């Protein structure tokens, strides 16, 4: 008699019944990522056209004020009502945001559209993960996470170029109006998975789930406080050089508010990396701050210390995108390694890679040697970030996957904002003559954070 295991084909993500879900998720994530990255290219043209250069910082920071709160709301709604309502609302808000910016006649309309973009991103990010958790077999989740990562990374490489061409040839408005046109077929591709989710039985509500939902509802005001604190950090950091004392005081107060609110919003045990899901949340924070906190300063480091032109300095962004995508693709391949092993490998590569990259600041090492280190770190980030997303879903159930996805993303956003704020303050205080030690401290701190995450990696295993 033939063994059933040998006759049942392995499930495929990009064929059969899961193909529409994969294409729909890829489409929505790509649209969101392109819009996010496009603003950086189109915004300078927009503020010049509206004679509103002073609004540049506000327009950049506006989505931070709405994104985190939207994450919290999306987690609650997705667990209470399923992902469909949240996903539908996210798509509608995304479309409205693009229309508002595309037809803007003044800068306040652009800023309002940016606020809506942050709301849409928070709603879509969480609801898509919940939809994946409810409709996709666990064996296919690593592959889906690698695709989601790639759809964020690749727009970072090609998005600015594409946006620049559209802005020059047709005008910046078509960057946003074109996204609305592409939203319709993308939404249609998701319909089979949405129907599957709607037809699935409602998850069983245990007493623990009811208590968690109540606690999350009471945490929403604290999530709003986090949004305001992140907005304040971003906006104040842009003007710190002009008002150091006042700006430094505002940043300190915002960090205190952020810390107090984070304690109320994050899962219990996250700040000590308690075994299981709290450790995943803690590591999302450490990895985000460690990698992104270094990456945002690399172009400036290459420009000031190694005399790269702005165009050449942008090579670090390309290295980030290509090798992050490679690492994410590698973790999604079929292999026999345990997820914790893949995670540890990624964190080890990140730590070593960032340490090599820090030599660009501390020594006169060849630039390409330092960038090789950054490529290694990029592979590690791809392995680590996607593995943490898979672990987050594996450690969740149908009753709490929305809140867990929300908490994990909030940890990453808060840690990155905090790291960039602190290091930005350090740089601002030395802006007149930024010595190598300034960039050395920034890059070495990233290696320390990822090394700390590596030490905690084994704690992501479930409690026995």
């Amino acid at each position: 008699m033939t063994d059933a295991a040998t006759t049942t084909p392995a499930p495929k993500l990009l064929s059969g019944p899961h193909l529409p879900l994969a294409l729909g998720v890829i489409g929505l994530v790509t649209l969101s990522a392109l819009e996010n990255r496009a603003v950086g290219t189109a915004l300078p043209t927009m503020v010049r056209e509206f004679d509103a250069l002073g609004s540049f910082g506000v327009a950049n920071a506006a989505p931070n004020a709405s994104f985190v709160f939207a994450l919290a709301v999306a987690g609650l709604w997705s667990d209470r009502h399923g992902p469909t309502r949240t996903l539908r609302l996210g798509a509608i808000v995304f479309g409205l945001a693009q229309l508002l910016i595309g037809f803007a006649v003044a800068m306040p309309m652009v800023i309002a559209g940016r606020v809506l973009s942050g709301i849409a991103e928070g709603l879509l990010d969480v609801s898509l993960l919940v939809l994946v958790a409810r409709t996709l077999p666990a064996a296919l989740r690593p592959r889906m996470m690698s695709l989601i990562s790639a759809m964020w990374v690749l727009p970072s490489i090609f998005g600015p170029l594409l946006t620049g061409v559209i802005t020059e040839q047709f005008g910046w408005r078509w960057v946003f109006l074109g996204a609305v046109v592409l939203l319709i077929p993308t939404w249609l591709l998701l319909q089979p998975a949405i129907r599957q989710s709607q037809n699935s039985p409602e998850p069983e509500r245990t007493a623990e789930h009811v208590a968690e939902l109540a606690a999350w509802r009471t945490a929403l005001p604290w999530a709003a406080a986090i949004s305001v604190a992140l907005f304040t950090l971003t906006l104040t950091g842009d003007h710190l050089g002009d008002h150091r004392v006042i700006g430094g005081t505002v940043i300190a107060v915002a960090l205190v508010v952020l810390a107090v609110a984070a304690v109320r919003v994050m899962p219990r045990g996250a700040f000590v990396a308690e075994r299981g899901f709290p450790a995943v949340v803690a590591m999302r924070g450490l990895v985000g701050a460690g990698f992104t906190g270094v990456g945002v300063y690399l172009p400036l480091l290459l420009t000031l210390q190694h005399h790269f032109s702005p165009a050449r300095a942008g090579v670090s962004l390309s290295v980030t995108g290509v090798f992050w995508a490679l690492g994410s693709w590698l973790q999604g391949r079929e292999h026999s390694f345990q997820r914790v092993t893949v995670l540890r490998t990624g964190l080890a590569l990140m730590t070593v890679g960032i340490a090599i990259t820090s030599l660009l600041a501390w020594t006169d090492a060849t630039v390409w040697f330092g960038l090789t280190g950054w490529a290694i770190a990029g592979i590690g980030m791809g392995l680590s970030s996607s593995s943490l997303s898979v672990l987050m879903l594996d450690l969740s159930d149908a009753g709490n996957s929305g809140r867990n996805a929300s908490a994990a993303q909030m940890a990453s956003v808060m840690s990155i904002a905090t790291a960039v704020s602190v290091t930005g303050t350090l740089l601002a205080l030395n802006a007149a003559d930024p010595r190598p030690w300034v960039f050395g401290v920034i890059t070495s701190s990233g290696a320390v954070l990822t090394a700390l995450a590596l030490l905690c990696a084994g704690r992501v295993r479930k409690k026995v």
Side-chain angles (χ1 to χ4, degrees):
M1 187 173 181
T2 304
D3 188 347
T6 63
T7 59
T8 302
K12 300 293 183 181
L13 181 61
L14 297 179
S15 63
H18 303 303
L19 179 61
L21 170 65
L23 294 178
V25 170
I26 289 171
L28 272 183
V29 172
T30 302
L31 279 178
S32 180
L34 281 172
E35 187 272 346
N36 185 283
R37 298 298 184 255
V39 170
T41 304
L43 194 57
T45 302
M46 296 158 66
V47 295
R48 286 197 303 270
E49 181 175 319
F50 292 130
D51 192 21
L53 187 61
S55 299
F56 185 85
V58 177
N60 268 316
N64 291 335
S66 54
F67 177 61
V68 173
F69 184 69
L71 285 175
V73 172
L76 180 64
W77 285 356
S78 295
D79 286 341
R80 289 186 62 183
H81 307 294
T84 303
R85 291 186 186 180
T86 311
L87 186 61
R88 184 181 295 117
L89 180 60
I92 292 172
V93 174
F94 178 84
L96 289 175
Q98 308 317 302
L99 290 172
L100 192 59
I101 298 174
F103 289 111
V105 297
M107 203 61 198
M109 290 180 66
V110 174
I111 294 172
R114 296 287 285 145
V115 172
L116 289 180
S117 292
I119 295 174
E121 185 178 340
L123 295 174
L124 291 174
D125 283 359
V126 173
S127 57
L128 282 176
L129 285 176
V130 175
L131 184 66
V132 168
R134 294 195 178 188
T135 60
L136 201 64
L140 293 178
R141 291 174 183 172
R143 186 69 56 84
M144 178 61 82
M145 291 303 108
S146 69
L147 284 175
I148 289 176
S149 294
M151 293 309 105
W152 264 100
V153 173
L154 294 180
S156 300
I157 303 172
F158 302 109
L161 175 62
L162 178 62
T163 303
V165 171
I166 294 174
T167 300
E168 292 176 4
Q169 299 298 322
F170 305 102
W172 59 264
R173 296 179 186 276
W174 285 104
V175 173
F176 304 96
L177 296 177
V180 179
V181 176
L182 294 175
L183 177 63
I184 298 172
T186 302
W187 179 257
L188 293 176
L189 285 171
L190 279 172
Q191 292 310 300
I194 290 175
R195 286 193 293 270
Q196 180 182 344
S197 175
Q198 291 174 324
N199 294 332
S200 299
E202 285 293 319
E204 182 181 354
R205 302 289 184 192
T206 66
E208 183 179 3
H209 285 152
V210 173
E212 289 176 351
L213 280 170
W216 191 258
R217 194 180 302 111
T218 60
L220 290 181
W222 293 105
I226 291 172
S227 291
V228 174
L230 290 178
F231 178 83
T232 303
L233 285 174
T234 305
L235 193 58
T236 305
D238 288 344
H239 300 87
L240 186 61
D242 300 327
H243 309 283
R244 290 193 176 189
V245 176
I246 297 176
T249 302
V250 171
I251 287 176
V253 172
L255 288 174
V256 171
V257 172
L258 184 62
V260 172
V263 171
R264 301 301 184 100
V265 171
M266 290 293 97
R268 182 175 299 176
F271 289 95
V272 293
E274 183 178 306
R275 183 172 293 279
F277 178 69
V280 173
V281 173
M283 294 180 68
R284 281 291 297 264
L286 291 170
V287 166
F291 187 81
T292 307
V294 172
V296 295
Y297 291 104
L298 274 185
L300 185 61
L301 168 60
L302 292 173
T303 300
L304 294 181
Q305 286 193 216
H306 297 275
H307 312 294
F308 270 39
S309 67
R312 289 184 66 203
V315 71
S316 66
L317 302 178
S318 298
V319 170
T320 300
V322 170
F323 288 93
W324 185 335
L326 175 60
S328 184
W329 175 79
L330 288 173
Q331 73 79 35
R333 308 303 297 167
E334 294 183 8
H335 54 74
S336 59
F337 298 108
Q338 293 185 355
R339 183 57 50 185
V340 175
T341 301
V342 178
L343 176 61
R344 280 182 170 144
T345 302
L347 293 171
L349 290 174
M350 285 182 66
T351 302
V352 172
I354 295 176
I356 294 174
T357 304
S358 70
L359 296 177
L360 289 172
W362 292 115
T363 71
D364 293 327
T366 303
V367 171
W368 302 113
F369 177 71
L371 289 178
T372 298
W374 189 240
I376 295 172
I379 294 174
M381 184 61 173
L383 290 169
S384 303
S385 61
S386 296
S387 293
L388 287 170
S389 295
V390 174
L391 285 165
M392 182 274 296
L393 293 178
D394 289 346
L395 292 169
S396 306
D397 56 43
N400 62 13
S401 57
R403 281 164 290 137
N404 285 356
S406 175
Q409 295 205 57
M410 289 171 68
S412 181
V413 173
M414 288 188 294
S415 65
I416 291 172
T418 303
V420 173
S421 173
V422 172
T423 53
T425 302
L426 174 65
L427 184 61
L429 294 175
N430 296 273
D433 185 21
R435 294 291 187 178
W437 70 265
V438 175
F439 291 106
V441 168
I442 292 173
T443 52
S444 298
S445 297
V448 171
L449 291 174
T450 54
L452 183 58
L454 176 60
L455 292 175
C456 300
R459 302 184 67 80
V460 299
R461 294 190 178 96
K462 293 181 180 180
K463 296 179 181 179
V464 180

